[in-house]
Each structure stands twice: as structure tokens, then as C-alpha cells.
Amino acid sequence: MPAKQFFTLFLVVVSAVSCDGYKTSIKKTNAFLTDLGGSFSAEIVRYDGNRMAEQLPFEGGTLAIDETAKWSVDVRCRKAGECKDAIDYDLVFKLEEGMMPSSGAAVKFTFNGWTADNYLFAPAAIYDGNRFRIVHETYPPYMYADSLRTPDMPITITDVPHMQRDGTDGKIEMLTSNCSTPLVGFFDKADKRGFFLQTVQDTLLGNSSFIIEESLKKQTLSIMMGAPGIRERQYHMCRTGESEDVPSDFNAGDEIHMRFRLYNFAAEDLNVYFDRFLTERKSLVVNELENKVPFSNIVPQIIDHHLRNKWYEGEASAYLCNIPGSERPAWNLQLGWNGVPVYTLSQILKRETMTDEQLRRLALTFGSIKQMQTSTGFFYAMLVRDHFAGDTARQRLEVTDIAMMRRTAITIYYSLQIFDLLKMRGLGDLIDPSWEEMIHAAADAVVRIWNEYGEFGQHVNAVTGKMTTFNSSNGVLNIGALAYASVYFDEPTYLEVA
């Protein structure tokens, strides 16, 4: 991206950033984005279904369309509080005359000099443009071919919104609610600068959209924020398909209000860029008091629900689960993740609600967990009454020995929480020594995996103790599990690995 003298620009923009009127705002914003090669426009968008059929930019404060509609836009911008490198914007689009069906309003930022070296970012949604290997699998995703699961495998994702690895033109469509904070931006590695477009989640029309398009051939990136939020294609669990978004119809007098903040800041490296995000992520959040049910009141309701509706007990096993008696493995004993011992912890959170029956069920549950542990220290993923199931999606009943590494981590961590809480309640004598031996062995297994592979990976063969899917953040929870285990078992090695 073009390198400019930012400090000269700073004197022009930030010290005199207050601006009213469309042309003045455009001029000031373009000056603010000069060293990023950026420019700004406001537009009315016409849709054919949910497909963007026409983008109609404002040249001034008004826009006439087909002699049937006349829009106005009022733009107000000002310095963002004490931020010397950010500007706040309030825009009001108003249909002054006529009517306009199937349409919306948008602001668009276009950047020249764009390359794939720039780090495209949206929190919890886009990291480095999501330019990773794509595997088209349904949920829960599992790569069946051994050739896809090699130790040197690249970062691999399902068909989430992404830019193209091969350098062809790319497009990402999201709603503001798809991000943990309604924000998109990028880190310019060459010029060591960062950019954020931050907004609020909703307008009166609901979620807004982020439409991001890049052309590496033309060296351009555009970020459009639209209201209402309309995508041509949307993400459905593990795949991208047709969108269900519906544009709005407008009549004379209707308005669209948009609020956002732009950041253009120095960032020496990506860590500095992320640090700035963590500092600013709640800057536009309005904290309001909400009357919610306190956790102390919810706990008895959860316990009662579990006692009445979530308990399975048979000849071979007994456990808390989602749907007792179901034939689906996922509704039975899921270890960690969506099952015990996570569910078990809630049973003993309140001393005054604990009963002998709950403690009996706790003991039976840990007995079932013990059945799931192999000689390697790892666990089968699921227990369906008297047989096991694996984390192998469509083959879970045929290939039963594969389990996610996160299951071991959650089992270690929550079991130790339960043990400590029982001791705090004066019930430490209820802890069977074999339960502690089981968790100790699981922690040892995690350490062996780290020592052999230098990572925690995604899947492990519970019977052989060998990693089967590599290069994943799935097992990152084992860091906390080992740290906790290092204290509980007085094992300094665990903390060293963590």
C-alpha cells in the first residue's frame, strides 16, 4: 500500500476532524485513509432477490433514481473521544420522495495497492482472510482419507467464508452478528499500519452486513457495510449456501441510520494490531443494566432438570446425558465437550441442594468414565450404554477408537474441579482413589503426546495413543488442564509442558 507521511496527515485530519455535509466528509475521510490507499463512498443498493443488482453512489448530498425515488444522505463525523487515530461517523439516509422496493443503504471503503500479504481480520470469523485448505464435509467434520491427515498437513477448515488461496478474486459475506465484535479490518504488514471499521450490531432494520471483496490482480480490496444486512450466500454449519436475507421496501420519509468508527493506526506487528483490537473492541458498546435471573437461582433449576430428564441408568453404565435411551451416540455419554464431567459439576455447585441421590449418581458417572479409559490414558469419545463410539462422524460406530484431544482436556480440568469442590464441602472421602489415578494417567498421556509431536493436535487414537489429525487448535485446552493437574498432583513437569 502507498506509504505516506502520516504525521502530516494527522495535522490535517484529526485536529480538524469535525465535518458536516457529504462532500466535506468524503474529502476528510479520503485524506484520513490516504496512507492506506483508501477512499470512502455512500451508496444506495438495489437488490434482485438477495443478489446485489445495482450500487448507486451519492455524488453529493442527494441521489435521484429513475425519476421514481430521491434519497438524501446526511454525514456527520467527529474525532473519536481521546483517540487521535480514529473518527466517529453518524449517517442518516432518507428517502425524500417516491418509493423504492427491495433496496438498502451502504457505506463502502475501497483500498488500492492491496496484496495477499495483508492480514484480513474479523474477530471470531476471519483470520488472514481464511486462506486455508478447504475440506467439504458435513457436521461434525472429519477427514476420512489418511492422505489429508499427515503430520505436515496445512491448516484446514470447512467451507466457512474465505478468500481464495490461488489468488483468484474472492468475496466474503457476513452479518455483524457473525463476529464476536461487529468489526472488520486489516493489518498492512509492509507499511506497519492497522485499519478497523467498527460499528454497532443493529440498526432499526436488524443486523448490518459486511461484504468484503478482493482482486489481487487489480490490487484492490473493498469493504461494504450495508443496512439491512443482505448476503447472496451465507454460512450454514460447515458449508456455504443460499442466503435467506430479505431486502427492505422504502416509502417517502423512511430513514436508515448508520453509526461506525474508523481507525487508522501504527502497528509494528500483528501482535500490536491484536492488542489494539482488544483495547477497542467494546468502544461502541453501550452498557445497560439488565435484570437477569441470578446464577444462584438458576443452579437449582438446572439440577432439577438434570435429575428428572437427563439421567440414564442401566446394567452396564449410568450417566448424565442429553437424551437418555437414545440410539444416537451424541445424545448419550459424551465425554467432555457436551457431556460429563461438565454436567456433573453443576450437581455439587450448591451444598444446600446436594442429596445422597446426587452423590450416588456422581459416583456412578465416574465409574462409567473409567470404563471409557484405555491403557494409554486416553478415553473413547462416547459411551452408548454398553458400547463405545468415536469422533469419526459417519463412521463413529465402526471406527470407535478416535477421540478429540479437547475431550481429554475437559475431562481432566472438570474432574479436578469436582474433586476440589468435594474437598471444600468436607466430602473428600467420597473421592475414589481410582478416579484420581484415572485423571493422573490422562495427564501423563497428554504429556506423552506433546513430547512425541510437539503439539496437541485434533484427534488421537485412544487405543494406540498416537495422534491421527495434526496441526489444530482443538487440543489447546490441555494447557489449562495440565496447569491445573500440576498443582493438584504436585507434578512440575505438567506445568513445564503447559
Side-chain angles (χ1 to χ4, degrees):
M1 288 192 156
K4 301 289 183 183
Q5 289 297 321
F6 178 75
F7 293 106
T8 302
L9 180 66
F10 170 82
L11 294 175
V12 174
V13 176
V14 178
S15 63
V17 76
S18 179
C19 49
D20 296 316
Y22 183 70
K23 288 187 176 180
T24 301
S25 301
I26 291 291
K27 182 178 179 180
K28 298 249 182 185
T29 304
N30 290 348
F32 181 67
L33 298 175
T34 295
D35 56 342
L36 293 170
S39 61
F40 165 56
S41 65
E43 303 180 348
I44 297 298
V45 182
R46 191 173 354 224
Y47 294 93
D48 177 7
N50 54 28
R51 183 182 63 83
M52 199 180 302
E54 195 172 12
Q55 300 176 48
L56 304 163
F58 284 83
E59 299 296 337
T62 60
L63 174 65
I65 302 173
D66 298 339
E67 300 181 354
T68 61
K70 182 180 179 181
W71 287 85
S72 66
V73 61
D74 179 52
V75 183
R76 298 181 183 272
C77 58
R78 62 195 177 279
K79 178 183 173 184
E82 297 302 313
C83 290
K84 297 181 179 180
D85 48 15
I87 304 177
D88 280 334
Y89 290 79
D90 289 287
L91 277 72
V92 179
F93 297 84
K94 183 176 181 180
L95 183 55
E96 301 286 354
E97 300 174 10
M99 60 181 294
M100 191 165 177
S102 194
S103 54
V107 292
K108 185 176 182 179
F109 302 90
T110 303
F111 300 90
N112 294 309
W114 180 258
T115 75
D117 290 333
N118 296 323
Y119 191 100
L120 184 61
F121 169 69
I126 304 173
Y127 293 87
D128 202 13
N130 290 347
R131 303 176 202 277
F132 308 120
R133 180 176 69 168
I134 306 295
V135 173
H136 295 273
E137 287 292 349
T138 56
Y139 184 85
Y142 180 75
M143 293 180 288
Y144 299 93
D146 292 343
S147 60
L148 295 175
R149 295 183 282 103
T150 58
D152 61 347
M153 62 179 281
I155 295 176
T156 303
I157 59 177
T158 56
D159 188 21
V160 302
H162 60 277
M163 292 304 182
Q164 303 300 321
R165 297 176 74 204
D166 61 6
T168 56
D169 291 354
K171 182 178 183 180
I172 291 176
E173 302 175 278
M174 301 187 302
L175 296 181
T176 42
S177 59
N178 296 147
C179 313
S180 59
T181 294
L183 174 152
V184 294
F186 59 82
F187 169 61
D188 184 340
K189 187 187 302 183
D191 291 340
K192 300 184 184 300
R193 298 211 63 79
F195 170 78
F196 295 144
L197 164 60
Q198 183 179 19
T199 188
V200 293
Q201 181 168 320
D202 288 334
T203 70
L204 292 177
L205 299 174
N207 277 198
S208 299
S209 59
F210 290 132
I211 310 299
I212 309 167
E213 297 185 78
E214 74 168 8
S215 172
L216 298 180
K217 184 177 180 180
K218 297 178 181 178
Q219 294 188 311
T220 60
L221 175 83
S222 69
I223 301 174
M224 174 183 284
M225 183 175 73
I230 305 298
R231 302 156 296 174
E232 186 174 348
R233 296 177 64 78
Q234 73 178 79
Y235 177 69
H236 305 267
M237 183 66 80
C238 293
R239 63 180 179 84
T240 301
E242 291 299 315
S243 165
E244 300 167 355
D245 300 332
V246 178
S248 296
D249 298 330
F250 295 91
N251 296 304
D254 289 344
E255 295 182 346
I256 305 172
H257 293 247
M258 300 181 74
R259 178 185 173 212
F260 59 90
R261 177 176 293 178
L262 298 182
Y263 299 81
N264 176 0
F265 57 96
E268 183 63 27
D269 55 34
L270 191 58
N271 284 332
V272 174
Y273 179 82
F274 284 144
D275 285 344
R276 182 64 184 271
F277 163 70
L278 292 173
T279 300
E280 304 291 352
R281 66 191 179 95
K282 295 186 177 181
S283 296
L284 299 186
V285 174
V286 177
N287 290 315
E288 298 177 348
L289 178 64
E290 295 184 29
N291 294 315
K292 296 183 177 180
V293 180
F295 192 56
S296 58
N297 183 267
I298 287 292
V299 168
Q301 297 182 46
I302 294 174
I303 291 173
D304 180 65
H305 175 59
H306 282 184
L307 288 173
R308 288 187 296 107
N309 304 313
K310 299 295 184 180
W311 179 251
Y312 167 79
E313 187 167 339
E315 293 184 3
S317 59
Y319 44 78
L320 280 165
C321 62
N322 276 335
I323 303 179
S326 171
E327 294 301 319
R328 291 185 61 180
W331 297 151
N332 282 268
L333 196 165
Q334 279 229 52
L335 194 61
W337 196 14
N338 186 25
V340 299
V342 181
Y343 290 175
T344 313
L345 178 63
S346 67
Q347 301 296 301
I348 59 170
L349 280 175
K350 294 192 71 174
R351 180 68 178 88
E352 58 271 26
T353 61
M354 288 171 56
T355 64
D356 290 343
E357 175 61 16
Q358 285 171 267
L359 295 176
R360 184 187 77 89
R361 293 185 179 187
L362 181 148
L364 288 173
T365 297
F366 271 100
S368 295
I369 296 174
K370 280 179 58 181
Q371 293 182 43
M372 301 174 73
Q373 190 172 42
T374 74
S375 60
T376 66
F378 287 112
F379 301 89
Y380 288 97
M382 289 165 268
L383 174 62
V384 186
R385 296 183 291 280
D386 60 357
H387 58 278
F388 302 120
D391 278 322
T392 44
R394 297 189 300 272
Q395 297 177 352
R396 61 183 58 170
L397 292 175
E398 293 78 31
V399 183
T400 61
D401 49 3
I402 304 300
M404 289 189 294
M405 281 295 295
R406 66 182 290 178
R407 293 190 186 276
T408 303
I410 295 172
T411 302
I412 293 171
Y413 195 92
Y414 275 83
S415 295
L416 296 180
Q417 279 192 310
I418 290 168
F419 299 164
D420 276 339
L421 194 54
L422 286 173
K423 291 176 181 179
M424 288 173 58
R425 301 280 191 247
L427 299 171
D429 57 339
L430 295 179
I431 303 171
D432 191 307
S434 67
W435 303 351
E436 293 178 313
E437 293 169 4
M438 170 180 69
I439 300 304
H440 207 158
D444 286 342
V446 172
V447 169
R448 286 197 302 273
I449 280 284
W450 176 265
N451 288 338
E452 182 170 353
Y453 299 99
E455 61 166 304
F456 294 126
Q458 182 181 18
H459 293 105
V460 65
N461 185 307
V463 175
T464 66
K466 299 297 183 180
M467 190 179 295
T468 61
T469 309
F470 306 80
N471 199 16
S472 169
S473 60
N474 180 279
V476 72
L477 294 172
N478 283 286
I479 298 171
L482 287 178
Y484 198 160
S486 73
V487 176
Y488 191 91
F489 295 115
D490 191 23
E491 290 275 9
T493 302
Y494 293 170
L495 189 59
E496 291 172 11
V497 173

